[in-house]
Amino acid sequence: MVEPLSQHASQNEPEPDEQAAPRSGRRRKAKKQRSFWVELPILIVIALVLAFVFQQFFAKVYTIPSGSMESTLHGCTGCYGDKILVDKLVYDFTEPTPGEVVVFKGPEPWVKNEALPEPSSNAFVRFLHTVGSAFGLAPPDERDFVKRVIATAGQTVQCCDAKNRVVVDGKALDEPYLHWQSPSHQQQDTFPPITVPPNSLFVLGDNRNNSCDSRCQGDKRLGGMVPVENVIGKARIIVLPPSRWGGVSDHNPQEKAQSTTVAAGLSAPSWQQGIPIGFGAIAAWPVLAGGRRLFSGVRDKVKSKR
């Protein structure tokens, strides 16, 4: 038998609506969200800070200022050059290898004769340039260079062999990335053998006749070497303009290098070098035959006098 609810119990229990009322009130008192226009500047600042940190420690965007790396990387004075993403972490774990395109801080012999551009007298313009440099939107003030690694520590590099190819350790390099600014002048400047010192790199531009690199910087000998510690990172991707999107070639020129002989300064082409041997072979028989006749004539005269 079910006992009836007591009147006291029903009177003491709150009604369902009375229980819900305080909770609804608490919800209505919750903090209101910020408006979009208040949050937008905060989001922009956070995005810029994250981008700055990313570029300082992980990867950075650089503007190509000149045409020394054509046609791998496009750049020219006053034009909208390629913007490349440079991997700043890779060389924390490995060393630069031949064929890789690297960005590096110019060694003292490279920059001592370089005149830095005069900063603008307008403070706002200088501020915009500083911000643009930090995010790869403008060329940096410091002297950073981009070149391709040709030889590393301990290797001997020189130019050129009979086919006008750079030679490393006696082998002619395979360089499909070479760019000739003038099709009528596809000849590299010669230079004597140079052995790359420890912890250094020998670098060249792909636009071989329009690049001042390890051949001509400093004292044109060891002054043109780049210390490994100066390397900022490896060029990975062309990010701008959209028409140039793609990876940066890191073809290793030493992988398919061929044994060769460096052409001497006064050496003749190989077909001309064979002329003396050919002439000797052809002239040998007549000389021998003439010698025999002369000897026979002298011998007959001697016998007749007896």
mmCIF file of all heavy atoms in Angstrom, residues 222-266:
data_model
loop_
_atom_site.group_PDB
_atom_site.id
_atom_site.type_symbol
_atom_site.label_atom_id
_atom_site.label_comp_id
_atom_site.label_asym_id
_atom_site.label_seq_id
_atom_site.Cartn_x
_atom_site.Cartn_y
_atom_site.Cartn_z
ATOM 1 N N LEU A 222 91.803 32.409 -51.462
ATOM 2 C CA LEU A 222 91.124 31.915 -50.267
ATOM 3 C C LEU A 222 90.133 32.927 -49.710
ATOM 4 O O LEU A 222 89.236 32.569 -48.955
ATOM 5 C CB LEU A 222 92.152 31.527 -49.202
ATOM 6 C CG LEU A 222 93.084 30.365 -49.582
ATOM 7 C CD1 LEU A 222 94.020 30.039 -48.426
ATOM 8 C CD2 LEU A 222 92.280 29.133 -49.983
ATOM 9 N N GLY A 223 90.289 34.193 -50.081
ATOM 10 C CA GLY A 223 89.339 35.203 -49.627
ATOM 11 C C GLY A 223 87.943 35.000 -50.176
ATOM 12 O O GLY A 223 86.982 35.566 -49.653
ATOM 13 N N GLY A 224 87.823 34.212 -51.225
ATOM 14 C CA GLY A 224 86.509 33.946 -51.794
ATOM 15 C C GLY A 224 85.786 32.779 -51.156
ATOM 16 O O GLY A 224 84.629 32.507 -51.491
ATOM 17 N N MET A 225 86.452 32.089 -50.215
ATOM 18 C CA MET A 225 85.813 30.962 -49.542
ATOM 19 C C MET A 225 84.731 31.449 -48.574
ATOM 20 O O MET A 225 84.830 32.541 -48.016
ATOM 21 C CB MET A 225 86.834 30.135 -48.769
ATOM 22 C CG MET A 225 87.985 29.576 -49.603
ATOM 23 S SD MET A 225 87.463 28.451 -50.916
ATOM 24 C CE MET A 225 87.724 29.507 -52.352
ATOM 25 N N VAL A 226 83.711 30.615 -48.366
ATOM 26 C CA VAL A 226 82.619 30.946 -47.451
ATOM 27 C C VAL A 226 82.695 30.024 -46.232
ATOM 28 O O VAL A 226 82.575 28.801 -46.382
ATOM 29 C CB VAL A 226 81.249 30.782 -48.132
ATOM 30 C CG1 VAL A 226 80.121 31.045 -47.130
ATOM 31 C CG2 VAL A 226 81.135 31.722 -49.321
ATOM 32 N N PRO A 227 82.904 30.553 -45.031
ATOM 33 C CA PRO A 227 82.898 29.701 -43.832
ATOM 34 C C PRO A 227 81.534 29.029 -43.658
ATOM 35 O O PRO A 227 80.495 29.668 -43.850
ATOM 36 C CB PRO A 227 83.176 30.690 -42.689
ATOM 37 C CG PRO A 227 83.828 31.866 -43.351
ATOM 38 C CD PRO A 227 83.221 31.953 -44.708
ATOM 39 N N VAL A 228 81.545 27.757 -43.286
ATOM 40 C CA VAL A 228 80.288 27.028 -43.091
ATOM 41 C C VAL A 228 79.423 27.707 -42.030
ATOM 42 O O VAL A 228 78.198 27.729 -42.127
ATOM 43 C CB VAL A 228 80.571 25.556 -42.710
ATOM 44 C CG1 VAL A 228 79.285 24.830 -42.343
ATOM 45 C CG2 VAL A 228 81.266 24.830 -43.855
ATOM 46 N N GLU A 229 80.069 28.292 -41.031
ATOM 47 C CA GLU A 229 79.313 28.939 -39.960
ATOM 48 C C GLU A 229 78.541 30.158 -40.448
ATOM 49 O O GLU A 229 77.618 30.631 -39.776
ATOM 50 C CB GLU A 229 80.252 29.341 -38.824
ATOM 51 C CG GLU A 229 81.291 30.385 -39.217
ATOM 52 C CD GLU A 229 82.241 30.735 -38.088
ATOM 53 O OE1 GLU A 229 82.232 30.012 -37.078
ATOM 54 O OE2 GLU A 229 82.983 31.724 -38.217
ATOM 55 N N ASN A 230 78.887 30.701 -41.617
ATOM 56 C CA ASN A 230 78.168 31.845 -42.177
ATOM 57 C C ASN A 230 76.895 31.440 -42.913
ATOM 58 O O ASN A 230 76.093 32.302 -43.283
ATOM 59 C CB ASN A 230 79.061 32.627 -43.144
ATOM 60 C CG ASN A 230 80.062 33.507 -42.428
ATOM 61 O OD1 ASN A 230 80.629 33.116 -41.421
ATOM 62 N ND2 ASN A 230 80.288 34.706 -42.940
ATOM 63 N N VAL A 231 76.731 30.155 -43.163
ATOM 64 C CA VAL A 231 75.565 29.703 -43.927
ATOM 65 C C VAL A 231 74.307 29.841 -43.076
ATOM 66 O O VAL A 231 74.231 29.325 -41.957
ATOM 67 C CB VAL A 231 75.743 28.251 -44.387
ATOM 68 C CG1 VAL A 231 74.491 27.762 -45.102
ATOM 69 C CG2 VAL A 231 76.944 28.137 -45.319
ATOM 70 N N ILE A 232 73.306 30.526 -43.611
ATOM 71 C CA ILE A 232 72.041 30.746 -42.914
ATOM 72 C C ILE A 232 71.087 29.590 -43.147
ATOM 73 O O ILE A 232 70.404 29.130 -42.235
ATOM 74 C CB ILE A 232 71.405 32.070 -43.374
ATOM 75 C CG1 ILE A 232 72.305 33.248 -42.979
ATOM 76 C CG2 ILE A 232 70.007 32.243 -42.786
ATOM 77 C CD1 ILE A 232 71.895 34.569 -43.591
ATOM 78 N N GLY A 233 71.028 29.090 -44.364
ATOM 79 C CA GLY A 233 70.123 27.986 -44.642
ATOM 80 C C GLY A 233 70.119 27.603 -46.109
ATOM 81 O O GLY A 233 70.840 28.180 -46.929
ATOM 82 N N LYS A 234 69.290 26.621 -46.420
ATOM 83 C CA LYS A 234 69.182 26.084 -47.773
ATOM 84 C C LYS A 234 67.920 26.599 -48.448
ATOM 85 O O LYS A 234 66.832 26.557 -47.871
ATOM 86 C CB LYS A 234 69.154 24.551 -47.722
ATOM 87 C CG LYS A 234 68.957 23.890 -49.074
ATOM 88 C CD LYS A 234 68.896 22.373 -48.939
ATOM 89 C CE LYS A 234 68.638 21.710 -50.289
ATOM 90 N NZ LYS A 234 68.564 20.234 -50.180
ATOM 91 N N ALA A 235 68.054 27.082 -49.678
ATOM 92 C CA ALA A 235 66.895 27.551 -50.443
ATOM 93 C C ALA A 235 66.049 26.353 -50.843
ATOM 94 O O ALA A 235 66.536 25.424 -51.490
ATOM 95 C CB ALA A 235 67.350 28.319 -51.679
ATOM 96 N N ARG A 236 64.768 26.375 -50.446
ATOM 97 C CA ARG A 236 63.887 25.233 -50.680
ATOM 98 C C ARG A 236 62.849 25.487 -51.771
ATOM 99 O O ARG A 236 62.714 24.709 -52.704
ATOM 100 C CB ARG A 236 63.153 24.874 -49.382
ATOM 101 C CG ARG A 236 64.021 24.304 -48.285
ATOM 102 C CD ARG A 236 64.367 22.871 -48.557
ATOM 103 N NE ARG A 236 64.982 22.234 -47.381
ATOM 104 C CZ ARG A 236 65.476 21.016 -47.383
ATOM 105 N NH1 ARG A 236 65.432 20.288 -48.485
ATOM 106 N NH2 ARG A 236 66.016 20.500 -46.299
ATOM 107 N N ILE A 237 62.103 26.593 -51.618
ATOM 108 C CA ILE A 237 60.929 26.814 -52.462
ATOM 109 C C ILE A 237 60.879 28.263 -52.920
ATOM 110 O O ILE A 237 61.200 29.178 -52.155
ATOM 111 C CB ILE A 237 59.630 26.486 -51.697
ATOM 112 C CG1 ILE A 237 59.663 25.055 -51.154
ATOM 113 C CG2 ILE A 237 58.407 26.670 -52.576
ATOM 114 C CD1 ILE A 237 58.524 24.752 -50.194
ATOM 115 N N ILE A 238 60.472 28.474 -54.169
ATOM 116 C CA ILE A 238 60.130 29.814 -54.648
ATOM 117 C C ILE A 238 58.669 30.054 -54.282
ATOM 118 O O ILE A 238 57.775 29.355 -54.774
ATOM 119 C CB ILE A 238 60.328 29.939 -56.168
ATOM 120 C CG1 ILE A 238 61.792 29.655 -56.535
ATOM 121 C CG2 ILE A 238 59.921 31.331 -56.658
ATOM 122 C CD1 ILE A 238 62.045 29.592 -58.031
ATOM 123 N N VAL A 239 58.413 31.004 -53.402
ATOM 124 C CA VAL A 239 57.052 31.222 -52.913
ATOM 125 C C VAL A 239 56.320 32.339 -53.660
ATOM 126 O O VAL A 239 55.088 32.362 -53.695
ATOM 127 C CB VAL A 239 57.059 31.525 -51.401
ATOM 128 C CG1 VAL A 239 57.537 30.312 -50.624
ATOM 129 C CG2 VAL A 239 57.931 32.728 -51.068
ATOM 130 N N LEU A 240 57.052 33.270 -54.227
ATOM 131 C CA LEU A 240 56.459 34.360 -55.005
ATOM 132 C C LEU A 240 57.409 34.721 -56.138
ATOM 133 O O LEU A 240 58.640 34.606 -55.971
ATOM 134 C CB LEU A 240 56.217 35.606 -54.129
ATOM 135 C CG LEU A 240 55.052 35.556 -53.144
ATOM 136 C CD1 LEU A 240 55.051 36.796 -52.265
ATOM 137 C CD2 LEU A 240 53.721 35.430 -53.877
ATOM 138 N N PRO A 241 56.869 35.166 -57.276
ATOM 139 C CA PRO A 241 55.453 35.298 -57.636
ATOM 140 C C PRO A 241 54.824 33.938 -57.926
ATOM 141 O O PRO A 241 55.541 32.947 -58.129
ATOM 142 C CB PRO A 241 55.503 36.163 -58.908
ATOM 143 C CG PRO A 241 56.834 35.826 -59.515
ATOM 144 C CD PRO A 241 57.765 35.608 -58.367
ATOM 145 N N PRO A 242 53.482 33.872 -57.959
ATOM 146 C CA PRO A 242 52.800 32.588 -58.179
ATOM 147 C C PRO A 242 53.239 31.871 -59.452
ATOM 148 O O PRO A 242 53.282 30.645 -59.490
ATOM 149 C CB PRO A 242 51.311 32.979 -58.240
ATOM 150 C CG PRO A 242 51.231 34.241 -57.433
ATOM 151 C CD PRO A 242 52.517 34.967 -57.687
ATOM 152 N N SER A 243 53.584 32.636 -60.495
ATOM 153 C CA SER A 243 53.985 32.017 -61.765
ATOM 154 C C SER A 243 55.306 31.271 -61.646
ATOM 155 O O SER A 243 55.653 30.470 -62.521
ATOM 156 C CB SER A 243 54.106 33.091 -62.852
ATOM 157 O OG SER A 243 55.077 34.070 -62.495
ATOM 158 N N ARG A 244 56.041 31.509 -60.561
ATOM 159 C CA ARG A 244 57.351 30.881 -60.376
ATOM 160 C C ARG A 244 57.347 29.837 -59.255
ATOM 161 O O ARG A 244 58.399 29.359 -58.846
ATOM 162 C CB ARG A 244 58.392 31.960 -60.064
ATOM 163 C CG ARG A 244 58.610 32.975 -61.169
ATOM 164 C CD ARG A 244 59.705 32.549 -62.088
ATOM 165 N NE ARG A 244 60.982 32.441 -61.389
ATOM 166 C CZ ARG A 244 62.039 31.801 -61.874
ATOM 167 N NH1 ARG A 244 61.955 31.180 -63.035
ATOM 168 N NH2 ARG A 244 63.174 31.755 -61.194
ATOM 169 N N TRP A 245 56.178 29.499 -58.726
ATOM 170 C CA TRP A 245 56.108 28.529 -57.643
ATOM 171 C C TRP A 245 56.838 27.248 -58.010
ATOM 172 O O TRP A 245 56.726 26.739 -59.135
ATOM 173 C CB TRP A 245 54.652 28.199 -57.331
ATOM 174 C CG TRP A 245 53.976 29.235 -56.475
ATOM 175 C CD1 TRP A 245 54.568 30.259 -55.789
ATOM 176 C CD2 TRP A 245 52.569 29.351 -56.238
ATOM 177 N NE1 TRP A 245 53.615 31.009 -55.140
ATOM 178 C CE2 TRP A 245 52.389 30.476 -55.389
ATOM 179 C CE3 TRP A 245 51.455 28.631 -56.641
ATOM 180 C CZ2 TRP A 245 51.126 30.878 -54.945
ATOM 181 C CZ3 TRP A 245 50.207 29.023 -56.205
ATOM 182 C CH2 TRP A 245 50.044 30.141 -55.364
ATOM 183 N N GLY A 246 57.570 26.695 -57.060
ATOM 184 C CA GLY A 246 58.249 25.425 -57.294
ATOM 185 C C GLY A 246 59.479 25.290 -56.422
ATOM 186 O O GLY A 246 59.900 26.233 -55.739
ATOM 187 N N GLY A 247 60.054 24.095 -56.420
ATOM 188 C CA GLY A 247 61.247 23.839 -55.640
ATOM 189 C C GLY A 247 62.490 24.407 -56.302
ATOM 190 O O GLY A 247 62.498 24.703 -57.499
ATOM 191 N N VAL A 248 63.548 24.587 -55.511
ATOM 192 C CA VAL A 248 64.822 25.104 -55.999
ATOM 193 C C VAL A 248 65.744 23.926 -56.292
ATOM 194 O O VAL A 248 65.948 23.056 -55.440
ATOM 195 C CB VAL A 248 65.472 26.048 -54.970
ATOM 196 C CG1 VAL A 248 66.824 26.533 -55.462
ATOM 197 C CG2 VAL A 248 64.551 27.230 -54.683
ATOM 198 N N SER A 249 66.301 23.894 -57.495
ATOM 199 C CA SER A 249 67.165 22.795 -57.920
ATOM 200 C C SER A 249 68.355 22.619 -56.993
ATOM 201 O O SER A 249 69.026 23.586 -56.638
ATOM 202 C CB SER A 249 67.667 23.057 -59.348
ATOM 203 O OG SER A 249 68.810 22.281 -59.631
ATOM 204 N N ASP A 250 68.623 21.366 -56.582
ATOM 205 C CA ASP A 250 69.829 21.072 -55.797
ATOM 206 C C ASP A 250 70.613 19.941 -56.458
ATOM 207 O O ASP A 250 71.187 19.082 -55.783
ATOM 208 C CB ASP A 250 69.477 20.732 -54.350
ATOM 209 C CG ASP A 250 68.550 19.528 -54.237
ATOM 210 O OD1 ASP A 250 68.143 18.983 -55.282
ATOM 211 O OD2 ASP A 250 68.246 19.116 -53.098
ATOM 212 N N HIS A 251 70.638 19.974 -57.796
ATOM 213 C CA HIS A 251 71.355 18.960 -58.578
ATOM 214 C C HIS A 251 72.821 18.910 -58.158
ATOM 215 O O HIS A 251 73.515 19.920 -58.149
ATOM 216 C CB HIS A 251 71.243 19.288 -60.069
ATOM 217 C CG HIS A 251 72.058 18.387 -60.953
ATOM 218 N ND1 HIS A 251 71.624 17.149 -61.361
ATOM 219 C CD2 HIS A 251 73.290 18.554 -61.490
ATOM 220 C CE1 HIS A 251 72.548 16.589 -62.121
ATOM 221 N NE2 HIS A 251 73.566 17.421 -62.217
ATOM 222 N N ASN A 252 73.310 17.726 -57.812
ATOM 223 C CA ASN A 252 74.701 17.553 -57.383
ATOM 224 C C ASN A 252 75.605 17.436 -58.607
ATOM 225 O O ASN A 252 75.573 16.424 -59.313
ATOM 226 C CB ASN A 252 74.835 16.305 -56.515
ATOM 227 C CG ASN A 252 76.232 16.151 -55.939
ATOM 228 O OD1 ASN A 252 77.178 16.827 -56.358
ATOM 229 N ND2 ASN A 252 76.377 15.268 -54.971
ATOM 230 N N PRO A 253 76.434 18.436 -58.892
ATOM 231 C CA PRO A 253 77.258 18.402 -60.109
ATOM 232 C C PRO A 253 78.382 17.370 -60.045
ATOM 233 O O PRO A 253 78.968 17.030 -61.070
ATOM 234 C CB PRO A 253 77.832 19.819 -60.186
ATOM 235 C CG PRO A 253 77.872 20.274 -58.763
ATOM 236 C CD PRO A 253 76.674 19.650 -58.105
ATOM 237 N N GLN A 254 78.683 16.875 -58.846
ATOM 238 C CA GLN A 254 79.761 15.903 -58.703
ATOM 239 C C GLN A 254 79.284 14.460 -58.856
ATOM 240 O O GLN A 254 80.095 13.550 -58.997
ATOM 241 C CB GLN A 254 80.446 16.077 -57.346
ATOM 242 C CG GLN A 254 81.136 17.416 -57.167
ATOM 243 C CD GLN A 254 81.936 17.484 -55.882
ATOM 244 O OE1 GLN A 254 82.338 16.465 -55.317
ATOM 245 N NE2 GLN A 254 82.178 18.687 -55.387
ATOM 246 N N GLU A 255 77.971 14.261 -58.816
ATOM 247 C CA GLU A 255 77.446 12.894 -58.850
ATOM 248 C C GLU A 255 77.784 12.177 -60.154
ATOM 249 O O GLU A 255 78.096 10.988 -60.168
ATOM 250 C CB GLU A 255 75.928 12.909 -58.634
ATOM 251 C CG GLU A 255 75.322 11.537 -58.478
ATOM 252 C CD GLU A 255 73.850 11.604 -58.134
ATOM 253 O OE1 GLU A 255 73.328 12.713 -57.884
ATOM 254 O OE2 GLU A 255 73.209 10.536 -58.098
ATOM 255 N N LYS A 256 77.711 12.908 -61.274
ATOM 256 C CA LYS A 256 78.022 12.314 -62.582
ATOM 257 C C LYS A 256 79.255 12.969 -63.202
ATOM 258 O O LYS A 256 79.367 13.062 -64.422
ATOM 259 C CB LYS A 256 76.826 12.445 -63.524
ATOM 260 C CG LYS A 256 75.599 11.666 -63.059
ATOM 261 C CD LYS A 256 74.452 11.797 -64.056
ATOM 262 C CE LYS A 256 73.240 11.004 -63.593
ATOM 263 N NZ LYS A 256 72.109 11.132 -64.556
ATOM 264 N N ALA A 257 80.161 13.438 -62.339
ATOM 265 C CA ALA A 257 81.385 14.076 -62.829
ATOM 266 C C ALA A 257 82.234 13.067 -63.601
ATOM 267 O O ALA A 257 82.238 11.866 -63.297
ATOM 268 C CB ALA A 257 82.181 14.648 -61.658
ATOM 269 N N GLN A 258 82.935 13.570 -64.622
ATOM 270 C CA GLN A 258 83.733 12.701 -65.497
ATOM 271 C C GLN A 258 85.212 13.035 -65.371
ATOM 272 O O GLN A 258 85.596 14.204 -65.293
ATOM 273 C CB GLN A 258 83.295 12.881 -66.956
ATOM 274 C CG GLN A 258 81.827 12.569 -67.193
ATOM 275 C CD GLN A 258 81.411 12.869 -68.626
ATOM 276 O OE1 GLN A 258 82.201 13.345 -69.422
ATOM 277 N NE2 GLN A 258 80.164 12.571 -68.940
ATOM 278 N N SER A 259 86.039 11.987 -65.356
ATOM 279 C CA SER A 259 87.485 12.201 -65.324
ATOM 280 C C SER A 259 87.912 12.983 -66.554
ATOM 281 O O SER A 259 87.426 12.742 -67.665
ATOM 282 C CB SER A 259 88.219 10.863 -65.276
ATOM 283 O OG SER A 259 87.891 10.169 -64.089
ATOM 284 N N THR A 260 88.809 13.932 -66.359
ATOM 285 C CA THR A 260 89.203 14.799 -67.468
ATOM 286 C C THR A 260 90.603 15.328 -67.216
ATOM 287 O O THR A 260 91.187 15.121 -66.147
ATOM 288 C CB THR A 260 88.222 15.980 -67.623
ATOM 289 O OG1 THR A 260 88.554 16.729 -68.793
ATOM 290 C CG2 THR A 260 88.267 16.889 -66.414
ATOM 291 N N THR A 261 91.139 16.010 -68.204
ATOM 292 C CA THR A 261 92.439 16.672 -68.086
ATOM 293 C C THR A 261 92.220 18.161 -68.275
ATOM 294 O O THR A 261 91.596 18.587 -69.258
ATOM 295 C CB THR A 261 93.414 16.155 -69.150
ATOM 296 O OG1 THR A 261 93.573 14.747 -68.978
ATOM 297 C CG2 THR A 261 94.759 16.841 -69.002
ATOM 298 N N VAL A 262 92.709 18.942 -67.355
ATOM 299 C CA VAL A 262 92.549 20.389 -67.449
ATOM 300 C C VAL A 262 93.385 20.915 -68.596
ATOM 301 O O VAL A 262 94.558 20.552 -68.747
ATOM 302 C CB VAL A 262 92.953 21.072 -66.135
ATOM 303 C CG1 VAL A 262 92.844 22.589 -66.261
ATOM 304 C CG2 VAL A 262 92.084 20.571 -65.007
ATOM 305 N N ALA A 263 92.785 21.749 -69.409
ATOM 306 C CA ALA A 263 93.485 22.309 -70.561
ATOM 307 C C ALA A 263 94.573 23.264 -70.095
ATOM 308 O O ALA A 263 94.341 24.131 -69.266
ATOM 309 C CB ALA A 263 92.496 23.028 -71.476
ATOM 310 N N ALA A 264 95.779 23.109 -70.635
ATOM 311 C CA ALA A 264 96.871 24.031 -70.318
ATOM 312 C C ALA A 264 96.649 25.343 -71.050
ATOM 313 O O ALA A 264 95.952 25.403 -72.061
ATOM 314 C CB ALA A 264 98.207 23.415 -70.723
ATOM 315 N N GLY A 265 97.310 26.377 -70.572
ATOM 316 C CA GLY A 265 97.072 27.691 -71.133
ATOM 317 C C GLY A 265 97.421 27.794 -72.606
ATOM 318 O O GLY A 265 96.749 28.493 -73.357
ATOM 319 N N LEU A 266 98.491 27.094 -73.071
ATOM 320 C CA LEU A 266 98.914 27.194 -74.464
ATOM 321 C C LEU A 266 98.705 25.895 -75.223
ATOM 322 O O LEU A 266 99.280 25.702 -76.280
ATOM 323 C CB LEU A 266 100.402 27.592 -74.530
ATOM 324 C CG LEU A 266 100.758 28.944 -73.924
ATOM 325 C CD1 LEU A 266 102.264 29.163 -74.007
ATOM 326 C CD2 LEU A 266 100.023 30.062 -74.637
#
